[in-house]
Amino acid sequence: MDLKYITVKGYLESLTEKNELNRIFPILLESMGYVILSKPTEYIGLPEYGKDIVAVGVDDDGKKKRFYFELKGGNDKNITDSNFYGKDGIQDSITQASYNKYVSAFPQFDKLPLKIIIVHNGIISGSVQATYESFIIATQKNLKNIVFDRWDISRLTILFSEKLFGQFLLVDPHTTRLFNRVLVNLNITDGVSKDYFELLDSIIFKETWVKSKTLSRKWQLVFETFKLIGFIIYTESKGYNNLEIAKRYLTHLVLRFWYWILKNKLENDKKITTYFDQVFNLYYKVLLEYFERTIPIANLKDGLYSEHGGRYEQVGYTMRTFEYLEYLSFFLNVNRYFNGKKNDNNIHSRIVHLINNNNVCSRPLIDIHSITIISVLNLFIEFGEINNARSYLNLVLNQIQMTKSKFDYLPDANNNVQNVIKLIVTSIKPVYYSDTTSPLLTVLLEYLIILDMEEEYKIVSEFIRDKKIDLGVFVPHHSKNSTSLHLINDKDNDLEEQLFSKSVHDGYQSETRLTKLFDKELVFSEFKERLLNKKTEFEYDYRTKNAGYSYLLDLAHIYYQTPFFPDKWRFHIN
């Protein structure tokens, strides 16, 4: 069995819910030329009488027949003693399908020979196989005009490989070459290959979307192909015992899929978002497995430190830890959404353990580490863990002040890791190292207001003035009340479309001052009042949020390393 068959077989076996099989199986039948008269979705809540799908088509013997397909998936994908007997078991399904007629206006429907097929994405247990065969023979003797068959995982693998996925993925030399290069190079680099970018775009942007009431088979194939690609990446990364690969590649898959949805204004189209949800569910399961494997190690003392990192670990340990913490914060936030829990003590305790055991969690090296810090602070605040939020904020501020006072540098505002490495190794600040302005410090100063930390504000504001540090935050031009819309460079993408496809630069640096007239310093209450006036400086009506996928916005910021916009934290100010 070649790679294509192995991966398709694994994909089919991964359909753990019957409704997943229900959705994809009709597409297979249509690709084989069957005319489908009814689908499982048309009979939700109604008795199906052993006929999940009714279709007309040409059988292997060349004769036109009517077909009743009974689908068994999820917990029933394997035929065993326990699901052969009883209500809704195999025996009951075959009996119901045999004796209950399906009425159809299809020409000559009742005169066509009938074939009843049990479809299951598993195997049949040896202990029940003889019983099944005997039952089929006995039933066929009583009903001579009916033929029975069974399509198991082996048969489905062949059919799906040859009739469905083989028609879209790996259908031409270009996509075949791209796909093979992606698989060969999966474990070579730390990033995501350009071949993968091109592969996804060649599939989803090959055709122009045309609005229609029903989803065409062509687009169903595109979305099913995305699911298959995601599953293949997942299984390959497990083969390397490295789920980090799957995390990276599926992150891009999710974001690219959602970008296409936004570009075509389909975020509220349930026909489309149903497929997106399936892709995201796979991604969620990958993250769940990834953190279940790694959290026990990460929570050891210096658990994210690599002993084989050499001198690079002076930077590498911090970079690795901040990335791990930002994805963990994202996952815990999504986990609340999936589980419907607003409060879960395990969530903030996991963050606390990680911070306590990896002290570099409070040692930002580049300005974009603000994403991680904001994510952690917001989680603490939303769970009412104000003391934890204050403690973490203090840790970060103390580290920044100590580093500036002792070594004379702040986190690099240009987010250039190579410059950070040169600085730490040589103790000489590179020419292009930027730390005269600190957007990160600006955000942290605003969190002191949010968390009502007046004493700390006095210390930090004095430090900022003493070190002559300029303050400012990135604000996109796209705000509701913006007066700079004319300065937008990317006219082809709105703010969200930019956010889900690249790092966003269409904006300006909004200056923050700690002084008033005659250079007098702003006291805590005055700075708070100034922030309240700036609370609406950036407001945006996110289509992603309105569609119920607000957590995707965080993922886009993380992946493309776009700093959070002010609305991410200023809504806490009151």
Side-chain angles (χ1 to χ4, degrees):
M1 186 179 289
D2 64 22
L3 176 62
K4 180 172 71 173
Y5 285 88
I6 292 172
T7 52
V8 171
K9 180 174 182 287
Y11 167 73
L12 293 172
E13 288 176 329
S14 75
L15 303 178
T16 56
E17 301 293 336
K18 183 183 175 182
N19 60 4
E20 293 179 340
L21 185 61
N22 286 349
R23 279 191 288 266
I24 191 173
F25 187 72
I27 303 172
L28 171 69
L29 295 181
E30 288 175 342
S31 73
M32 295 171 67
Y34 286 82
V35 177
I36 297 177
L37 305 180
S38 75
K39 296 179 182 180
T41 52
E42 298 169 5
Y43 285 91
I44 294 175
L46 299 174
E48 297 165 8
Y49 302 119
K51 299 179 284 293
D52 282 323
I53 297 175
V54 178
V56 172
V58 178
D59 202 2
D60 296 336
D61 58 8
K63 294 181 180 179
K64 190 175 186 179
K65 296 177 183 177
R66 51 189 167 133
F67 293 83
Y68 296 165
F69 293 95
E70 171 66 7
L71 276 57
K72 298 292 182 182
N75 294 330
D76 293 326
K77 70 177 184 179
N78 296 316
I79 299 177
T80 63
D81 292 290
S82 62
N83 63 15
F84 181 78
Y85 302 101
K87 184 173 175 56
D88 296 328
I90 300 295
Q91 186 182 49
D92 184 50
S93 296
I94 292 173
T95 302
Q96 292 282 1
S98 301
Y99 289 98
N100 289 286
K101 288 187 176 181
Y102 178 83
V103 179
S104 174
F106 189 88
Q108 304 294 310
F109 181 78
D110 288 336
K111 295 182 180 180
L112 293 173
L114 174 61
K115 188 169 188 176
I116 298 173
I117 301 177
I118 298 293
V119 179
H120 62 113
N121 57 325
I123 60 173
I124 185 169
S125 172
S127 62
V128 79
Q129 185 162 6
T131 304
Y132 170 83
E133 299 292 348
S134 299
F135 175 71
I136 292 297
I137 292 171
T139 305
Q140 229 162 341
K141 283 182 179 179
N142 295 328
L143 302 166
K144 295 182 180 179
N145 295 323
I146 302 178
V147 178
F148 296 90
D149 200 358
R150 182 176 60 85
W151 292 359
D152 61 4
I153 185 63
S154 297
R155 179 72 182 276
L156 290 176
T157 297
I158 294 171
L159 292 174
F160 273 93
S161 298
E162 297 179 354
K163 304 296 184 181
L164 185 57
F165 294 115
Q167 294 185 19
F168 210 85
L169 182 62
L170 312 179
V171 72
D172 60 70
H174 179 63
T175 55
T176 300
R177 185 168 57 253
L178 286 174
F179 189 63
N180 287 337
R181 285 210 299 254
V182 168
L183 294 183
V184 167
N185 295 316
L186 270 182
N187 201 36
I188 293 178
T189 64
D190 292 335
V192 178
S193 71
K194 292 181 180 179
D195 292 323
Y196 184 68
F197 299 159
E198 189 176 346
L199 175 66
L200 296 187
D201 284 1
S202 69
I203 293 171
I204 202 165
F205 289 106
K206 184 177 182 180
E207 302 287 344
T208 302
W209 170 261
V210 178
K211 187 176 181 180
S212 61
K213 290 184 178 180
T214 58
L215 191 60
S216 69
R217 176 179 163 272
K218 174 183 68 178
W219 283 107
Q220 291 179 61
L221 281 171
V222 169
F223 304 144
E224 290 295 343
T225 300
F226 263 32
K227 287 163 59 179
L228 180 62
I229 290 173
F231 179 75
I232 291 171
I233 297 293
Y234 166 62
T235 53
E236 287 292 301
S237 66
K238 286 188 74 171
Y240 288 117
N241 194 29
N242 186 0
L243 285 174
E244 171 66 27
I245 297 171
K247 179 173 74 71
R248 292 197 305 268
Y249 277 76
L250 266 69
T251 299
H252 184 79
L253 176 61
V254 165
L255 294 177
R256 202 59 180 164
F257 195 172
W258 190 252
Y259 169 72
W260 178 88
I261 288 173
L262 289 175
K263 285 298 292 183
N264 290 284
K265 308 295 188 291
L266 296 169
E267 64 273 8
N268 294 309
D269 190 327
K270 296 299 181 185
K271 299 190 302 295
I272 307 299
T273 56
T274 293
Y275 282 97
F276 176 80
D277 289 344
Q278 292 170 19
V279 171
F280 189 85
N281 284 344
L282 173 61
Y283 178 57
Y284 172 78
K285 290 175 182 177
V286 167
L287 290 181
L288 178 62
E289 187 175 346
Y290 173 80
F291 285 115
E292 283 179 342
R293 286 190 183 189
T294 57
I295 279 285
I297 299 170
N299 278 339
L300 297 173
K301 181 62 178 173
D302 296 321
L304 291 173
Y305 180 84
S306 173
E307 295 180 355
H308 305 290
R311 295 183 68 188
Y312 172 71
E313 278 304 282
Q314 295 179 72
V315 174
Y317 181 24
T318 303
M319 299 300 296
R320 186 182 310 112
T321 300
F322 268 85
E323 181 182 351
Y324 188 88
L325 186 53
E326 68 185 357
Y327 273 96
L328 177 61
S329 299
F330 167 76
F331 172 72
L332 295 176
N333 197 34
V334 173
N335 200 43
R336 288 193 298 158
Y337 172 85
F338 271 79
N339 294 327
K341 295 179 180 178
K342 297 299 181 183
N343 292 295
D344 185 344
N345 291 333
N346 288 330
I347 288 183
H348 69 258
S349 63
R350 290 173 188 172
I351 297 288
V352 170
H353 287 316
L354 190 69
I355 293 172
N356 287 342
N357 288 306
N358 296 272
N359 58 13
V360 293
C361 285
S362 58
R363 181 196 169 202
L365 293 179
I366 52 179
D367 205 84
I368 202 63
H369 281 158
S370 60
I371 292 176
T372 306
I373 297 167
I374 292 169
S375 298
V376 171
L377 290 173
N378 278 2
L379 271 178
F380 282 147
I381 293 170
E382 288 162 19
F383 278 109
E385 294 294 322
I386 303 303
N387 287 335
N388 280 331
R390 289 169 176 161
S391 295
Y392 181 59
L393 180 55
N394 261 329
L395 286 172
V396 175
L397 285 169
N398 289 340
Q399 182 67 53
I400 290 174
Q401 292 174 85
M402 184 276 291
T403 303
K404 178 63 176 176
S405 299
K406 191 173 182 179
F407 302 106
D408 193 30
Y409 70 86
L410 295 171
D412 181 26
N414 285 333
N415 300 309
N416 189 313
V417 179
Q418 293 302 317
N419 280 339
V420 175
I421 294 173
K422 289 177 183 177
L423 170 62
I424 291 177
V425 171
T426 65
S427 298
I428 300 172
K429 194 179 296 184
V431 175
Y432 296 107
Y433 193 98
S434 175
D435 65 345
T436 55
T437 300
S438 179
L440 170 59
L441 203 49
T442 310
V443 174
L444 299 183
L445 195 66
E446 295 193 14
Y447 267 103
L448 289 175
I449 301 298
I450 293 168
L451 294 169
D452 197 26
M453 300 170 68
E454 186 170 355
E455 290 303 314
E456 290 80 359
Y457 167 82
K458 292 178 182 177
I459 296 170
V460 175
S461 60
E462 183 179 343
F463 165 78
I464 291 170
R465 289 192 300 273
D466 181 57
K467 300 298 182 182
K468 296 181 173 56
I469 301 167
D470 294 328
L471 300 176
V473 293
F474 175 74
V475 178
H477 292 305
H478 307 70
S479 180
K480 285 181 180 179
N481 305 316
S482 176
T483 58
S484 58
L485 293 174
H486 60 287
L487 297 175
I488 294 174
N489 290 318
D490 187 347
K491 307 293 185 182
D492 297 325
N493 295 288
D494 66 22
L495 179 61
E496 278 180 271
E497 291 162 3
Q498 288 189 45
L499 184 62
F500 281 92
S501 59
K502 61 184 178 181
S503 183
V504 178
H505 300 288
D506 252 346
Y508 61 94
Q509 196 80 358
S510 176
E511 186 181 18
T512 296
R513 290 182 177 273
L514 293 177
T515 57
K516 49 187 177 180
L517 290 175
F518 307 112
D519 218 25
K520 289 185 178 180
E521 65 182 77
L522 284 176
V523 298
F524 185 81
S525 59
E526 292 171 327
F527 186 65
K528 181 176 182 178
E529 185 64 30
R530 185 171 288 185
L531 279 186
L532 283 169
N533 293 331
K534 296 181 73 173
K535 193 172 180 179
T536 58
E537 181 179 27
F538 177 76
E539 292 182 306
Y540 191 81
D541 190 23
Y542 296 98
R543 289 187 283 144
T544 301
K545 183 177 181 179
N546 294 336
Y549 296 90
S550 57
Y551 49 84
L552 290 178
L553 296 167
D554 289 358
L555 186 63
H557 279 279
I558 291 169
Y559 183 74
Y560 288 109
Q561 295 290 275
T562 299
F564 279 132
F565 308 142
D567 60 341
K568 184 64 179 176
W569 67 86
R570 283 182 179 166
F571 74 94
H572 288 301
I573 303 172
N574 51 52

